[in-house]
Structures are given as structure tokens and as C-alpha cells.
Amino acid sequence: MTQPSFETHEVFNQSPPFEDVNLLKADRPLMDAVRANGGADAEQELIAFGALWGSADMAEQGRLANENTPKLRSFDAKGFRRDVVEFHPAYHQMMARSIEAGLHNSTWTAQGKPAGGSSEVVRAAKFYIASQVESGHLCPITMTRASVAALASQPELLARTMPVIGTRNYDPAFAPWWGKRGMTLGMGMTEKQGGTDVRANMTTAERTSDGYRITGHKWFMSAPMCDAFLVLAQAEGGLTCFFLPRFAPDGSVNALRFQRLKDKLGNRSNASSEVEFAGAYAERVGDEGRGISTIIQMVQLTRQDCAISSAGLMRSGLAHALHHARHRSVFQKHLADQPLMQSVLADMALHVEATVALVMRLCRAFDRALGDPSEAAYMRLLTPAIKYWVCKGAPPFLYEAMECLGGNGYVEDGILARHFRESPVNAIWEGSGNVMCLDVLRALSREAEAATAVLKILAEETRGLPGAADAVASVSQAFRRGDSERVARLAVEKLALLAAVAALNAVTPAHAELFAATRLANVHPSMYGAVDLDPAAIRALLERALP
Ligand SMILES: Cc1cc2nc3c(=O)[nH]c(=O)nc-3n(C[C@H](O)[C@H](O)[C@H](O)COP(=O)(O)OP(=O)(O)OC[C@H]3O[C@@H](n4cnc5c(N)ncnc54)[C@H](O)[C@@H]3O)c2cc1C
């Protein structure tokens, strides 16, 4: 349909919307990384997913879900408490689509055991694609999926909840979880006086004849319309993990009092609440005093998803930038043909290609960890390192992607402004940057032998690549230092880069060489494009990034 023209001018030289694109087929680095990490069999399923999520309709639903933010309804018209959050239908649409694709449960069997095979890699590819369209709803999706790992500490509770978590139905009804067609779970750890330091939690748990009563608050508790939350509270035996449902077993509404929803920089389709528990009913998950070790099983998985989702945001930034540059002419030449813009785009493409190879390699470790100790060691050491490097790299990347679109990039009509506002959160929640670096050090000190073996394998996998040997030596040295905490960022970034080179080498060796030359042998400049790539490499990178 032709659009009515303006009276004063014709509209031309604007790029068409980047919509109705198959987000899998248009992404060779993703397809190759999935194949290299065991997911080849799922290609048809992923192509269908990429077509749906790349549609103009899904893009529109994503926009609507973010422009029409959730609203807290604390009371009804007569002053009775309601404590419910209302979402725009577009948000529910996103939830339904993600749940029908199993993003919340496909890595588990019906009994809540790891599904194995390539389920992590395949789900990660979907998560990567979904985050390119709408990130906010992925918060309850990732928490639901991850909660199963913590529920495993209480097998009879897992057995009761798994039949409801295990369905592919989205059921947003405000009703007791046990009667629903499907359920979602959230997590409450952070209190006002301490988030990282959960030992400082003041919320208490009192044992009663039918379970526990939780009294206290959480300063951040996202996705408050979840059917239940895993929360930490101080019980007699110490900090303990609890399953706190929205409805008590007698069917009454449980005593969760939402105080406010946060007014956030990004992540706006998702609600993040401040909440009080006024003697709320809860069941114990794991032993008393084992709260941190119980919930850390969940957090390990949400950290993995933070990295996947930040990688997806960067991919989307790159794809929009490249698409625009191929349509926009400046000085009689497409932007994509201007040598300086080519350097910027190719350097960004290289970054994303290494990032997607790295997160898929990590997911393969999650797939194989149960039966393979070296994969388990890779997963333990590299999850925090990869979360750190990938998530913290997303905001500057998206800023550059926005700039490729010029002024349009900065305007909320397009998706890049939203992606940019979204991008810092993955680095902050589920363990902020420094906390991730300290976690790498913890893995090194507690499981020194396994961690050293991982480094040895990375050294073998990157042998001969520019800067790799020096990087291995400097990482080992830094971690052995008595004051390793002081230089942890230096060492963890290098470790992640080394792992990225190794992962990319298994997918596209020529690009692994380039990535190593520009990131390991030399410190990468603070701006994308400030590198000297030859024209053939630029062509190859950009062709792979978007056909
Ligand atoms: C949008 C959003 C949604 C959220 N949703 C949830 C939720 O659903 N459930 C939930 O439980 N929490 C949630 N959080 C909270 C989030 O997990 C915490 O904000 C985060 O863990 C950091 O805790 P904090 O804010 O208390 O900061 P602090 O713990 O005070 O940390 C401040 C800074 O100090 C650094 N730091 C901490 N310890 C050290 C150290 N030993 N050495 C050096 N540096 C250190 C950290 O890296 C950080 O940069 C959410 C946060 C946001 C922004």
C-alpha cells in the first residue's frame, strides 16, 4: 500500500523497517554456533521460532508491552487490598509465546531433572532471539526455568510443582498455583540493607504447624504476578530458602503486600516490586541454614541467561545497524559502502560473532556438565566470567549501534533506544560486575585443580593464535597473586576473551584469528572500528552477519 505523501516533501533514503525477517536464518554466526555446540538437529524448530519472533507483529507487541507499563493495583474501590499488577495484553502475548516454546522449562525433564542432549543450546538460541524482540518478559521466564534447580533441594515439593511448571501453557489467572494450567516463579533475595551480601537479610521465618511464616521485606522482587517466589529468610537454623506462593494452602490470598513498582531506566515491560511479607505462608526449600547454597543453584542459571540475553541485545543492535547502513545513502554512497562505516560494522560483527560462539559454548557445558567433569568445571569457572564480560560489554556496543542509525537510533520510535536502556541491567542483577569477578576467584580457590585444567584446555584450544600464550600466562599469574582481588577485573576479562577465542575457533577459525589479534594480542581500543581489518575480512564478517 502506498502511503499518502507529505505536502512539502517526499520521504526517501530511510531504511525500511527491519521486520518480517527470520531471526535465525538471517544470522549465520548463530546457526553455526548452534551447530558447533550440538544443536544441529533442532534447526527446523529454530527456523520456525526465528520466523515468528522476527515478524512485524511480534515487534509491535514488544513495543506495546514496553510503552504500556505494568500498573500496581494495591486496593479496590472500597479500600480492600488487592496487591495485583496489571499488564498490557501485549506482555501476556510475549509470555504465551515464550512459554509455548518452552523457554521456561525445556531444559528439564517432566521430573525436573536436566534434560541433557542439546536442550540448553537449543533453548539458548531461542532466548537469544526472543531478547532481540522483547527482554522484559524474559525475567519471569528465566526465573521460572532456573527455580527448578533450587526446588531440586526439596524433592517432594519439586514433585508437586513440576507437573504445573512442566506444561507449555501460560496461565496468567490470579489463582492458587496447584489448580492452574501453568505457573511462573520469581525470586526474592535483595533487601534494603544488602543485595550482594544476602547474609545481611533481616526477613525472618518462623516455623509453624503447617510450614513457616515469613515476616519482613524485599527491596527488589521482580515479576510480582508470579505464582510463587523463592525467597531467603532467617530461620532458627540460619539463612534458608523458602517457596512462598501467592495463595496459602487453604486458598486464601497469601500475605504479600506490594509497596511500589520501581520506576526503572529500562526493563519497563517487566514489573519490579518492593514488597512486604506480613507473616506470609511459606514452605522450606532445602535445609535450614543452607539458603545460599540452595538458591545459588538457581542463580547460576539466571546468570547464564543474562549473558545470552545481552548477547541477543548486541546482535539486534548489529543487525539493525547493518540493515540501516545498507539502505541509507550519504554522499551518493550507501553507508555500508563507506570504508570507515565498514570498519565500525565489521568490528562490531566480529564482537558479536565471538560473543555468540562463547555463550553457545557455555550452554554446551551446561548440557554436558552432569556426565563430564571437565564440562562441569568449565561451567563453574566461566559462567561468572562470561556473564561479566558479555553483559558489561552490551551498553557501549548498543550505544555504537544506535549511532550507526544517526538521530533515528536515539529516538524511542525505534528499538535501539529501548535496547540501550535495557542493556545495563543484565550486568547489575544476578551478581554485579565485581561480584562476578570475586566468584571466579572463589571457583579458583575452592576447585583449584579443576579450574587449572580448564585453563590448560583453553591454552590448547587457542594455541598459536595471536596473544593467546601471553594471555594464558598473565591470567594464571594474576590468579596466583596474593592480591588477586585487586587485579581480578584484569584477569577475568582476559579469561573471558581467551574462552571467546577458543569458542570462536571451533566455529570460524579465520575470525578467531582476527578476534585474537584485535582483543588478545592488543588491547581493543575503546571505540568500535578503531582497528585495521583488511577489506576481505570486512566483507566476510558483514556477509555472515546479515545476508
Ligand atoms: C531491575 C531490577 C530488578 C531486580 N529484581 C530482583 C529480583 O527479582 N529479586 C532480587 O532478589 N533482586 C532483584 N534485583 C536486585 C539486584 O539483584 C541487586 O540490586 C544486585 O544484586 C546488587 O545488590 P545491591 O543493589 O544491594 O548492591 P550492593 O550489594 O550494595 O552492591 C553495590 C556495588 O558494590 C559491588 N560490590 C559488592 N560486593 C563487593 C565486594 N566485596 N568487593 C567489591 N565490590 C563489591 C557490586 O558489584 C555493586 O557494583 C533487581 C535489580 C534490578 C535493577
Side-chain angles (χ1 to χ4, degrees):
M1 193 174 74
T2 40
Q3 302 290 329
S5 61
F6 286 83
E7 284 169 29
T8 57
H9 62 282
E10 293 299 322
V11 181
F12 66 99
N13 198 24
Q14 290 282 7
S15 53
F18 185 66
E19 290 170 357
D20 289 326
V21 172
N22 188 313
L23 293 177
L24 190 277
K25 279 202 202 162
D27 189 345
R28 264 195 67 196
L30 170 63
M31 284 165 82
D32 290 349
V34 167
R35 271 190 217 125
N37 289 291
D41 289 351
E43 198 152 291
Q44 287 314 311
E45 180 187 342
L46 291 176
I47 287 173
F49 189 86
L52 174 68
W53 282 80
S55 68
D57 180 52
M58 288 298 271
E60 178 65 358
Q61 300 299 324
R63 182 186 71 75
L64 287 169
N66 281 276
E67 286 188 4
N68 300 279
T69 52
K71 292 191 174 50
L72 174 61
R73 301 287 178 212
S74 306
F75 304 100
D76 71 8
K78 308 293 176 194
F80 291 101
R81 289 208 74 102
R82 288 191 64 211
D83 290 299
V84 296
V85 178
E86 289 172 355
F87 292 86
H88 188 270
Y91 170 87
H92 293 301
Q93 176 79 257
M94 289 288 153
M95 289 293 289
R97 295 290 81 81
S98 278
I99 285 178
E100 81 188 10
L103 290 191
H104 69 306
N105 67 9
S106 58
T107 57
W108 304 112
T109 65
Q111 289 72 40
K113 300 265 185 273
S118 58
S119 59
E120 290 280 357
V121 168
V122 173
R123 173 188 173 275
K126 293 180 183 174
F127 205 82
Y128 180 80
I129 288 172
S131 65
Q132 297 174 39
V133 182
E134 208 296 297
S135 294
H137 83 286
L138 293 174
C139 173
I141 296 289
T142 182
M143 291 195 293
T144 303
R145 191 286 279 227
S147 67
V148 175
L151 290 170
S153 300
Q154 201 63 36
E156 63 71 37
L157 177 59
L158 181 69
R160 270 186 287 137
T161 48
M162 210 51 217
V164 196
I165 297 172
T167 76
R168 292 200 177 191
N169 303 315
Y170 174 53
D171 185 347
F174 185 46
W177 65 265
W178 55 89
K180 293 182 66 168
R181 294 179 303 114
M183 71 185 287
T184 52
L185 286 98
M187 168 171 64
M189 295 194 287
T190 310
E191 298 186 4
K192 288 174 184 162
Q193 73 286 353
T196 303
D197 186 7
V198 288
R199 282 188 181 81
N201 271 194
M202 297 188 305
T203 296
T204 58
E206 192 190 338
R207 200 193 294 246
T208 56
S209 55
D210 63 343
Y212 287 78
R213 291 290 177 277
I214 309 284
T215 305
H217 82 282
K218 294 294 165 188
W219 179 228
F220 281 89
M221 198 172 83
S222 288
M225 289 309 283
C226 283
D227 296 289
F229 302 88
L230 295 184
V231 300
L232 290 180
Q234 302 285 359
E236 212 179 304
L239 195 64
T240 305
C241 180
F242 292 93
F243 173 84
L244 193 154
R246 286 303 307 272
F247 288 81
D250 64 3
S252 62
V253 177
N254 204 2
L256 288 84
R257 314 279 186 246
F258 296 116
Q259 307 298 307
R260 272 199 302 184
L261 296 185
K262 303 281 192 191
D263 185 6
K264 297 174 287 184
L265 169 68
N267 195 246
R268 297 184 74 84
S269 66
N270 180 35
S272 297
S273 73
E274 296 165 16
V275 62
E276 278 194 274
F277 308 129
Y281 164 86
E283 295 184 44
R284 184 168 45 77
V285 184
D287 292 339
E288 280 194 10
R290 302 281 302 156
I292 295 177
S293 59
T294 301
I295 212 150
I296 207 76
Q297 305 301 323
M298 172 173 185
V299 173
Q300 173 91 338
L301 296 176
T302 54
R303 287 176 180 168
Q304 175 198 9
D305 279 357
C306 287
I308 300 166
S309 145
S310 284
L313 287 175
M314 288 190 272
R315 161 65 197 174
S316 183
L318 170 68
H320 279 89
L322 194 46
H323 170 79
H324 180 76
R326 283 178 181 161
H327 289 89
R328 177 79 165 178
S329 288
V330 176
F331 307 125
Q332 284 85 49
K333 216 154 118 178
H334 280 131
L335 279 174
D337 297 326
Q338 309 274 4
L340 185 49
M341 184 56 101
Q342 287 179 337
S343 286
V344 173
L345 292 167
D347 197 23
M348 291 168 74
L350 183 57
H351 190 86
V352 173
E353 190 153 348
T355 305
V356 71
L358 180 61
V359 295
M360 290 304 155
R361 171 66 187 90
L362 177 66
C363 294
R364 183 175 102 201
F366 275 82
D367 268 329
R368 300 184 182 179
L370 257 189
D372 184 339
S374 78
E375 292 290 325
Y378 184 101
M379 177 181 91
R380 172 62 191 96
L381 183 69
L382 282 162
T383 302
I386 292 171
K387 192 227 183 225
Y388 171 77
W389 179 72
V390 174
C391 298
K392 287 190 79 67
F397 186 98
L398 283 153
Y399 150 65
E400 194 65 67
M402 282 198 313
E403 192 170 314
C404 292
L405 274 76
N408 287 354
Y410 192 70
V411 173
E412 291 284 349
D413 291 340
I415 199 171
L416 289 195
R418 168 153 45 101
H419 283 346
F420 179 66
R421 287 186 289 94
E422 180 74 21
S423 61
V425 77
N426 283 328
I428 294 173
W429 61 15
E430 309 307 315
S432 311
N434 288 352
V435 178
M436 290 300 87
C437 293
L438 296 174
D439 196 42
V440 173
L441 293 184
R442 197 170 304 119
L444 278 159
S445 72
R446 291 199 183 155
E447 292 144 60
E449 220 171 286
T452 311
V454 172
L455 205 55
K456 251 197 193 139
I457 292 173
L458 290 179
E460 273 161 35
E461 290 173 349
T462 56
R463 191 184 306 282
L465 287 167
D470 285 349
V472 172
S474 89
V475 167
S476 320
Q477 227 167 37
F479 288 144
R480 273 202 306 271
R481 275 168 64 154
D483 62 347
S484 57
E485 203 170 311
R486 214 165 45 74
V487 292
R489 281 194 174 211
L490 201 61
V492 169
E493 180 168 344
K494 219 154 231 177
L495 173 65
L497 287 171
L498 197 61
V501 171
L504 188 53
N505 205 27
V507 183
T508 333
H511 292 171
E513 172 108 24
L514 279 182
F515 188 79
T518 52
R519 270 83 172 166
L520 271 187
N522 294 293
V523 172
H524 188 259
S526 57
M527 308 300 167
Y528 286 96
V531 289
D532 185 5
L533 302 174
D534 70 64
I538 289 177
R539 247 193 330 275
L541 279 161
L542 297 183
E543 268 166 31
R544 278 176 62 73
L546 199 64

